[in-house]
DNA sequence: GACCCGTGGTT
DNA sequence: TAACCAAGGGT
């Protein structure tokens, strides 16, 4: 056990990554990084992390910000509940803990958006507390170290015990960072670089030559494909109608161009007209197609058929959303949109620029 | 415990 | 191209 720890720590001090959130011990900054890194790769997070700490440099600054500012800063990162929970948790830290991030595991776990792995990640990194973690990297490393004969999801309890048994009681901060780096840079999902691994002598998978077969994969359900009709509705003032999605569920709190699912046998145009009547209570005329956007979410994929539309009658009502608003094209970038909708905005910009040019 | 929740990169 | 996967948590 001791030689395992020392081998990993020695490797880390030689080959570990230099990352901005390792240059600080500010619990808030480390917390922000841990939330952004959930299910998201380091390379993707880096620019968001730097910008976030410029916009919201303290937990107090985040707590007093408007949710729309917070979502705008998160725009493009995905899993937007992370941003909403981080915002709520910042308000809880200010109100319940006098703006001081708690150092007690059970208290940290109470904060929205922080589970067992994130709590351990923050407390070990910020306070050097010996609390184990079990993220995707650690699961893969341990599945190979143990030659786990089942998918990691079927052995969560065993993997937690293993992570707790392994963590170095003297250098828990470095140990947790080191095992994640090992998974990210050496014990990779495909073609692991076992020759460079400090644990190759201890790794059951390597010694059996089955490291490429592990961890065993989960059986996945095929993801459905939805065809969606989307409306860019113009009024006589040259404004566009957008709506804000409800807080709960997919893309909660973000703005979008209204629309909905095409029913079997229905044309795109008929779908758009029907959906706008049902969701906003107005009549429109459906015009030319603007763009077709294909986009993959985590559990389904969509094709957005986007059409220019003209407002005919009725005042838009927030029937199936939180808010509706008429906005100018130039104002759209003030609102947080999902990625698929940013492509629509780009298409509108190009069309507008072409008209002028 | 199963399902829901985004996006980008890689193969 | 389609499939797979990444510093998980909430319900």
């Amino acid at each position: 056990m001791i030689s395992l720890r020392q081998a990993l720590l020695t490797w880390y001090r030689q080959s570990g990554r230099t990352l901005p959130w390792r240059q600080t011990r500010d619990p808030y900054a480390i917390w922000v990084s841990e939330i952004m890194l959930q299910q998201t790769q380091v390379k993707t997070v880096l620019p968001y992390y730097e910008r976030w700490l410029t916009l919201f440099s303290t937990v107090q600054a985040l707590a007093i910000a408007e949710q729309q500012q917070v979502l705008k800063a998160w725009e493009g990162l995905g899993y937007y509940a992370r941003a909403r929970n981080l915002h709520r948790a910042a308000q809880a830290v200010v109100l319940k803990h006098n703006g001081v991030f708690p150092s007690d595991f059970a208290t940290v776990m109470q904060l929205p958006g922080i589970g067992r792995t994130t709590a351990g990640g923050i407390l070990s990194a910020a306070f050097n507390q010996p609390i184990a973690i079990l993220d995707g990297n650690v699961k893969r490393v341990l599945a190979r170290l143990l030659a786990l004969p089942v998918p990691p999801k079927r052995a969560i309890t065993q993997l937690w015990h293993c992570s707790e048994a392994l963590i170095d009681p003297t250098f828990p901060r470095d140990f947790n960072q080191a095992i994640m780096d090992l998974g990210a840079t050496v014990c990779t999902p495909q073609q692991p670089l076992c020759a460079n691994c400090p644990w190759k002598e201890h790794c059951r998978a390597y010694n059996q030559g089955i490291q490429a077969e592990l961890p065993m994969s989960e059986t996945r359900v095929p993801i459905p494909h939805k065809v969606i009709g989307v409306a860019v509705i113009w009024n006589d003032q040259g404004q566009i109608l957008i709506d804000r999605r409800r807080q709960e569920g997919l893309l909660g709190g973000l703005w979008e161009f209204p629309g909905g699912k095409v029913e079997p046998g229905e044309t795109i145009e008929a779908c758009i007209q029907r959906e706008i009547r049902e969701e906003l209570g107005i009549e429109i005329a459906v015009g030319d197609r603007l763009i077709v956007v294909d986009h993959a979410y985590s559990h389904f994929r969509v094709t957005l058929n986007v059409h220019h539309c003209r407002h005919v009658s009725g005042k838009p009502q927030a029937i199936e959303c939180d808010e509706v608003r008429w906005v100018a094209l130039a104002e759209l970038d003030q609102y947080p949109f999902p990625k698929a909708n940013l492509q629509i905005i780009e298409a509108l910009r190009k069309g507008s620029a072409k008209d002028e040019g």
Side-chain angles (χ1 to χ4, degrees):
Chain A
M1 187 73 79
I2 293 178
S3 66
L4 246 128
R5 291 172 182 149
Q6 292 198 335
L8 181 61
L9 288 170
T10 299
W11 171 85
Y12 177 65
R13 282 156 195 160
Q14 208 163 358
S15 307
R17 295 174 291 184
T18 301
L19 299 170
W21 42 87
R22 290 180 181 167
Q23 311 300 116
T24 178
R25 294 191 182 175
D26 174 11
Y28 168 69
I30 292 167
W31 172 27
V32 169
S33 77
E34 290 286 340
I35 301 300
M36 288 187 171
L37 287 162
Q38 289 171 0
Q39 299 294 103
T40 309
Q41 294 183 340
V42 166
K43 185 181 175 184
T44 305
V45 164
L46 284 170
Y48 283 91
Y49 176 78
E50 302 290 357
R51 190 163 59 249
W52 188 278
L53 290 183
T54 303
L55 290 169
F56 315 111
S57 59
T58 64
V59 66
Q60 287 82 3
L62 178 58
I64 63 173
E66 293 293 327
Q67 189 198 49
Q68 291 292 295
Q69 299 177 266
V70 174
L71 288 174
K72 186 67 188 174
W74 202 272
E75 183 184 66
L77 252 189
Y79 285 132
Y80 297 93
R82 295 185 295 174
R84 301 194 304 271
N85 286 334
L86 179 57
H87 189 211
R88 283 200 298 140
Q91 294 170 341
V93 168
V94 168
L95 290 176
K96 295 186 182 176
H97 307 293
N98 298 317
V100 178
F101 193 87
S103 58
D104 168 69
F105 179 78
T107 308
V108 172
M109 283 283 288
Q110 302 283 342
L111 295 169
I114 299 183
R116 188 170 171 184
T117 286
T118 301
I122 297 169
L123 291 176
S124 62
F127 305 116
N128 207 27
Q129 291 182 24
I131 303 178
I133 58 174
L134 189 62
D135 70 332
N137 287 311
V138 178
K139 282 178 190 166
R140 183 172 56 258
V141 169
L142 297 185
R144 286 177 175 149
L145 183 70
L146 303 171
L148 196 69
V150 296
K153 194 172 291 180
R154 303 292 162 200
I156 291 298
T157 302
Q158 180 188 354
L159 290 170
W160 271 112
H161 287 325
C162 183
S163 183
E164 289 177 330
L166 279 173
I167 189 170
D168 190 302
T170 310
F171 303 101
R173 171 190 293 123
D174 286 351
F175 183 91
N176 277 347
Q177 298 300 313
I179 193 170
M180 285 191 286
D181 268 17
L182 187 69
T185 66
V186 172
C187 196
T188 49
Q190 276 86 31
Q191 298 171 353
L193 307 171
C194 299
N196 302 338
C197 183
W199 281 357
K200 60 184 171 189
E201 293 168 11
H202 309 273
C203 180
R204 289 191 185 176
Y206 176 70
N207 286 307
Q208 296 174 27
I210 58 172
Q211 67 273 17
E213 322 302 322
L214 296 180
M216 292 187 67
S217 61
E218 321 280 348
T219 57
R220 287 201 183 196
V221 296
I223 63 173
H225 178 212
K226 301 178 184 179
V227 179
I228 308 289
V230 176
V232 174
I233 306 170
W234 299 87
N235 67 12
D236 292 341
Q237 284 77 50
Q239 294 169 310
I240 300 168
L241 192 61
I242 59 176
D243 71 87
R244 185 159 53 87
R245 295 175 63 90
R246 290 179 169 152
Q247 288 286 313
E248 65 276 11
L250 185 73
L251 307 168
L254 275 69
W255 293 79
E256 67 175 3
F257 300 98
K261 189 165 172 281
V262 177
E263 302 289 351
E266 188 179 40
T267 65
I268 301 291
E269 287 83 354
C271 161
I272 292 174
Q273 202 158 45
R274 174 183 56 75
E275 289 284 351
I276 297 309
R277 189 182 299 133
E278 291 172 0
E279 293 183 3
L280 303 175
I282 63 173
E283 293 300 325
I284 60 170
V286 181
D288 292 342
R289 187 174 72 189
L290 170 63
I291 188 177
V292 177
V293 178
D294 281 305
H295 194 78
Y297 293 97
S298 51
H299 55 299
F300 64 93
R301 60 191 184 90
V302 294
T303 300
L304 306 181
N305 295 276
V306 188
H307 279 249
H308 286 293
C309 300
R310 183 171 52 83
H311 179 230
V312 173
S313 65
K315 179 180 170 58
Q317 305 160 50
I319 299 172
E320 295 183 8
C321 60
D322 273 357
E323 187 179 353
V324 295
R325 199 175 287 189
W326 289 106
V327 297
L329 180 55
E331 297 170 334
L332 284 176
D333 59 11
Q334 299 169 21
Y335 297 84
F337 282 91
K339 267 289 183 179
N341 280 240
L342 294 180
Q343 290 188 50
I344 299 173
I345 294 173
E346 188 184 354
L348 285 168
R349 289 252 157 70
K350 284 181 179 171
S352 165
K354 192 173 61 182
D355 291 346
E356 291 168 13

